[in-house]
Amino acid sequence: MEIKSVACECCGLTEDCTQNYINKVKANFSGKWLCGLCSEAVSDEFRRDRKMTTVEEAVNAHVSFCSKFKANPAELVADGMRQMLRRRSGELLPAKSKKFGRSKTT
């Protein structure tokens, strides 16, 4: 089984895949290879938008959408996840301990 690097034709994200998987994805998306994120977005758009009659129209609409951003959608999602994890890890860090003296009880 040979592994190849292939770039998404929408966002440019590169993934390592088998040739068999690459062929299956291309068959589903009018001969274009799409990463997992873009393929889900195209599939969702095709199901939702009644005006689109072919998968090729949905792919072209998503390519147009991706070209509007300087960063690709996969990078934007990754940046969002990174920010979320940073915020979350900040919440999980123990609070700075304050030194309290013991009260004397008799």
Side-chain angles (χ1 to χ4, degrees), residues 11-66:
C11 69
L13 182 74
T14 303
E15 291 185 13
D16 294 332
C17 306
T18 63
Q19 187 61 50
N20 188 35
Y21 179 72
I22 293 167
N23 292 340
K24 285 180 184 178
V25 171
K26 283 184 173 184
N28 289 334
F29 297 104
S30 303
K32 295 183 179 180
W33 191 85
L34 307 180
C35 69
L37 183 63
C38 289
S39 64
E40 285 299 315
V42 167
S43 297
D44 184 55
E45 187 67 27
F46 181 69
R47 283 190 301 268
R48 279 185 335 157
D49 193 343
R50 304 279 183 212
K51 295 176 193 170
M52 291 187 191
T53 57
T54 66
V55 172
E56 188 172 4
E57 288 176 333
V59 170
N60 290 337
H62 188 67
V63 168
S64 175
F65 173 79
C66 287

Side-chain angles (χ1 to χ4, degrees), residues 57-82:
E57 288 176 333
V59 170
N60 290 337
H62 188 67
V63 168
S64 175
F65 173 79
C66 287
S67 68
K68 292 178 183 177
F69 295 96
K70 291 185 182 186
N72 69 52
E75 288 177 356
L76 295 173
V77 169
D79 286 341
M81 292 295 292
R82 185 176 19 253

